[in-house]
Every structure is written in C-alpha cells, then in structure tokens.
Amino acid sequence: MYTEKVMEHFNNPRNVGIIADPTVLVQVGEPSCGDALLLSLKIDNDRIVDVKYKIYGCGAAIATASVASEMVMGLALDDVLNNITDQTIADALDGLPPEKMHCSNMAAGALHGAICEYRKTIAAKHPVPAN
C-alpha cells in the first residue's frame, strides 16, 4: 500500500518538534480523518531557514509532513508558494494511495498558510504609505 519512501519517513520522521522562537506558527487539521499539523517556521531574508512540526495522524500524514519539511528547508518563500503542492509532496514520496492524498494537501496547505500569515504580519508592521 505504501512506498518505501513513505515507510522510511514514517519510521524516521525528520525535523520533528517546535522551534523555540518561531517566526510563524500555524495549526491545520483535517476533521474528517482526525489529522492535525502544528507547523513552525523560522524565516530570514524571505527564506525558510528552519522548519519543525508536530503531527497527529496516520502514517501518510507523518511521512508527508516529514518530506515536506525537508523539501522547503532553505527555499525562498515564493519558491515554496509556486512549487510545493500536494502533488510534488506525494511525488517526493514516490506516490500515495488516492485515499491518502489529503495528507499531502494538509502539509502543502500548512506551508502556504504559514507563509501567508507571515506576510500579513510583515505588512501590518510595515504598511505601504498612500500616495
């Protein structure tokens, strides 16, 4: 049912935890299956310099959070928004069963949501003056 890469990330998840002083912290969940993801990012110069997460869910949820954390480390925020999708996360694991694709969507959604939240916070701190 699961690929070797899914099982590797499930059995040995990477970047688990919470950053002590994160730039942004978001929580997402999928109530229909009970999965929940708490994602913390450290951002410097519009680039992800650290990522950690806590996940409650099935093996596919754990594996997608783990591989996604590796995929985005060091990336510019726009690269994450433009290139990290539920499909690219699933592809990085050599695929997921169709009924588990919502797990990769949760990981991609958390990343995109965290970046949007970060940018809203920055915009609120540094408003653009009216002409």
Side-chain angles (χ1 to χ4, degrees):
M1 180 164 145
Y2 290 123
T3 67
E4 284 184 37
K5 284 187 181 178
V6 170
M7 293 307 297
E8 169 58 24
H9 279 274
F10 169 68
N11 288 317
N12 301 294
R14 282 65 153 187
N15 303 306
V16 175
I18 299 296
I19 297 170
D21 187 21
T23 308
V24 64
L25 180 70
V26 297
Q27 183 171 345
V28 297
E30 179 55 56
S32 66
C33 72
D35 296 338
L37 172 63
L38 181 64
L39 178 71
S40 58
L41 299 178
K42 182 65 90 170
I43 299 169
D44 188 32
N45 291 324
D46 242 23
R47 191 170 290 278
I48 296 175
V49 295
D50 197 8
V51 57
K52 298 223 180 288
Y53 63 90
K54 292 277 192 158
I55 183 97
Y56 172 78
C58 64
I62 294 166
T64 57
S66 175
V67 78
S69 73
E70 288 189 323
M71 292 171 71
V72 302
M73 193 75 74
L75 286 184
L77 300 182
D78 285 339
D79 289 339
V80 175
L81 291 174
N82 294 327
N83 300 316
I84 303 299
T85 66
D86 54 340
Q87 192 60 55
T88 61
I89 292 169
D91 290 347
L93 291 168
D94 293 335
L96 287 170
E99 66 275 9
K100 295 296 182 177
M101 280 301 291
H102 68 275
C103 295
S104 60
N105 192 14
M106 185 171 67
L111 287 163
H112 290 215
I115 291 169
C116 290
E117 187 63 32
Y118 166 73
R119 288 187 168 166
K120 282 194 291 190
T121 302
I122 293 300
K125 288 180 182 178
H126 305 287
V128 177
N131 288 340

